[in-house]
Amino acid sequence: MASSFTVCRLHTIGRGSLVKCLQKVDTFLHRNIGTNVVAVQEEKNGFKSLYAVHAERQEQAERSVLISCHSRTNEKNFLKYIANYGDIQKYFFYESFGMYAVVEFANQESVASLLEGTAIPSISHESLVPFKSRLLSMRNLDSRDVLNQPSIKKGQAQTSIPINELIQRLSKEESIDQQITSLTEAYQLTEENCRLRFLVCSLLKDIAASFFPECTIMPFGSSVNGFGKLGCDLDMFLDLDGISGKNATMPKSGLFLEYQMKRANFERIVTQNILSVIGECVDQFGPGCVGVQKILNARCPLVRFTHQPSGFQCDLTANNRVAMKSTELLYLYGELDPRVRHLVFTVRCWARAHGITSSIPGAWISNFSLTIMVLFFLQRRSPPIIPTLDHLRDLAGPEDKSVIEDNDCTFVSDFSKIQLESNTETLEQLLCEFFEFYASFCFSKLSINIRKGKEQNKLPAVPLHIQNPFETTLNVSKNVNASQVAGIKSRKRRKFEPTSERIKSLLESLKNTNNQPNQS
């Protein structure tokens, strides 16, 4: 599980206006998330392009450094020192295994200048190879002033708030709709947390770029799809398709790059070899990367490790483009109607409180499966709140065409083409109807399918069948056993029990699980 950490504050600094920044703090209220590498600088129908948001995040990360600070470091002295290397755009402090600062410069030249001025500690063994990364350590910065001036103060926690505190917050809301909205706001990723996730990906890319100079490492899954909870793992994707010349026509004459590539019969073997090399480098030379595991024989090979400076549990994969499209699809659904995210967060909270989901691998329903169940339910409303995946595919243009390993992953990316029907159901109504819907759902005979938005027959041997949106032959809930499905149905609220009593019961169940760890 990811370690807890605390963010102090987030500042905006104009060019040459360090003093003004110290006098006035501008906080970030707008939360941007996204995934993909295509920079489409436009907004459609009031929504910022997912591709543009992701490209913006990556560009910010490339201009940033992560600095380990002494707990008594004076903030003003710290900024004065860092500003010597260039204009600071933004910065914030947080706690993980110690105090850290994320500093974003106005340009990458400032980062290069800072690294040039960074001293490499003396090494007692010739065999050690220092990797000059953008993870730095600040030491002995005007220690006399630190003793006489206030140091950096702790700020708002970046893990989910304790259940008792959450219950108190929700009890102050005037309606169930407001409670659900407050729950989402308390659990969702913050601006600072999103920035830190992209920076960790960028730091890891610095290691991978030694072998693949034009590669990209980007977050996917809960970190960027809009449904991530504070403390969730960081899933990363190593993208090699952007390397120049990958699909270029070979010239008849001129200079050619010399390289060695061993032949492999299967792409999976190539992926395993690449991740094996990167995993070894992360283990040997990655600052702050501990507990590295190379899980190469899994269905999707990966490298797992803990990034101590950020507190994130990280999974690095390659050649996992279907998962990237799933991330993009969930982001789209979440942007279409705010009720989608609110309901997903509430159902996930309920599921964890009742032991339906768990951080321990086993016969548990995953958060992804729960999200698909919520989407399916919203498709089945009358009128539907969100469209089916087949409808999104029918709206797609030629530029949206996407086929990955013979799987049709095509769906529209232009929000203005999606016309939603008018559904005015409240969050309270939807939460109530969600439990009623699945309490009477025939799991033994029917499959959940958001591509078509309707039930389909399934094999009776499978207790729960939720079709993967893109890899349609796969069941995303194949690990779930019959007792888990029975557990869902047994938790049906009494039909005539007032909704307010149902929510009260939910809050009581959360209170009883106060000692359980937080997960996404």
Side-chain angles (χ1 to χ4, degrees), residues 179-442:
Q179 287 180 332
I180 294 175
T181 301
S182 181
L183 172 67
T184 304
E185 293 172 350
Y187 274 13
Q188 67 186 1
L189 300 182
T190 63
E191 166 74 17
E192 299 93 333
N193 199 286
C194 290
R195 284 178 175 269
L196 186 58
R197 289 172 184 272
F198 274 85
L199 178 54
V200 172
C201 289
S202 184
L203 295 177
L204 194 64
K205 190 211 73 171
D206 290 345
I207 298 176
S210 301
F211 299 91
F212 311 103
E214 295 175 320
C215 71
T216 301
I217 292 182
M218 63 189 77
F220 71 96
S222 58
S223 293
V224 287
N225 63 19
F227 300 101
K229 176 184 172 184
L230 286 170
C232 68
D233 293 348
L234 173 57
D235 295 313
M236 299 179 287
F237 173 71
L238 173 64
D239 184 12
L240 303 177
D241 284 357
I243 297 177
S244 299
K246 182 176 177 66
N247 299 312
T249 303
M250 293 296 293
K252 295 182 179 180
S253 62
L255 294 175
F256 294 81
L257 179 69
E258 286 288 343
Y259 66 94
Q260 177 181 346
M261 182 177 68
K262 291 186 176 180
R263 297 292 179 182
N265 295 328
F266 302 100
E267 187 174 10
R268 176 181 173 84
I269 297 177
V270 175
T271 300
Q272 290 173 325
N273 291 340
I274 291 173
L275 290 177
S276 178
V277 171
I278 299 301
E280 190 66 24
C281 289
V282 170
D283 190 20
Q284 297 294 330
F285 310 117
C289 299
V290 300
V292 179
Q293 304 176 61
K294 295 188 287 185
I295 310 174
L296 305 179
N297 292 323
R299 178 179 173 273
C300 181
L302 60 93
V303 175
R304 175 169 294 165
F305 61 95
T306 298
H307 186 257
Q308 280 192 329
S310 64
F312 295 143
Q313 176 71 45
C314 303
D315 285 346
L316 174 67
T317 63
N319 192 30
N320 193 18
R321 298 197 169 279
V322 173
M324 296 294 294
K325 294 300 290 186
S326 295
T327 299
E328 188 178 345
L329 178 65
L330 294 187
Y331 175 85
L332 184 148
Y333 276 130
E335 289 290 294
L336 289 179
D337 192 302
R339 290 174 293 181
V340 177
R341 286 198 180 112
H342 292 318
L343 195 59
V344 167
F345 273 98
T346 305
V347 170
R348 284 185 175 184
C349 180
W350 166 83
R352 177 51 58 90
H354 285 279
I356 294 176
T357 58
S358 174
S359 60
I360 304 173
W364 311 96
I365 297 175
S366 67
N367 280 329
F368 181 69
S369 295
L370 281 176
T371 303
I372 296 298
M373 292 176 70
V374 172
L375 296 179
F376 182 74
F377 162 74
L378 296 176
Q379 290 173 340
R380 299 288 290 157
R381 303 310 295 154
S382 181
I385 293 178
I386 56 175
T388 66
L389 179 53
D390 277 351
H391 181 67
L392 295 178
R393 180 198 59 195
D394 295 339
L395 295 175
E399 69 280 2
D400 298 318
K401 182 70 174 179
S402 177
V403 178
I404 303 173
E405 298 176 356
D406 297 327
N407 298 302
D408 185 5
C409 301
T410 302
F411 59 90
V412 65
S413 60
D414 186 347
F415 284 94
S416 64
K417 293 182 179 180
I418 305 174
Q419 301 297 321
L420 300 177
E421 298 188 50
S422 179
N423 182 302
T424 59
E425 290 179 286
T426 65
L427 289 169
E428 177 182 344
Q429 292 173 320
L430 290 174
L431 181 60
C432 174
E433 291 298 326
F434 173 85
F435 290 118
E436 298 289 353
F437 178 82
Y438 282 111
S440 59
F441 191 86
C442 188

Side-chain angles (χ1 to χ4, degrees), residues 144 174 430-431 450 499:
R144 291 173 299 176
E174 296 181 354
L430 290 174
L431 181 60
I450 67 168
T499 304

Side-chain angles (χ1 to χ4, degrees), residues 48-60:
K48 191 169 185 178
S49 165
L50 178 64
Y51 310 128
V53 171
H54 191 85
E56 179 183 338
R57 289 288 193 196
Q58 286 184 310
E59 197 271 338
Q60 290 170 346

Side-chain angles (χ1 to χ4, degrees), residues 436-479:
E436 298 289 353
F437 178 82
Y438 282 111
S440 59
F441 191 86
C442 188
F443 289 105
S444 61
K445 296 180 180 179
L446 300 177
S447 170
I448 295 170
N449 183 351
I450 67 168
R451 177 169 284 278
K452 298 186 179 299
K454 60 182 180 181
E455 301 89 344
Q456 291 185 301
N457 294 328
K458 71 171 185 65
L459 296 175
V462 183
L464 176 62
H465 192 281
I466 303 175
Q467 186 185 89
N468 187 297
F470 298 118
E471 297 177 281
T472 55
T473 60
L474 299 181
N475 174 16
V476 300
S477 58
K478 65 179 181 179
N479 62 304

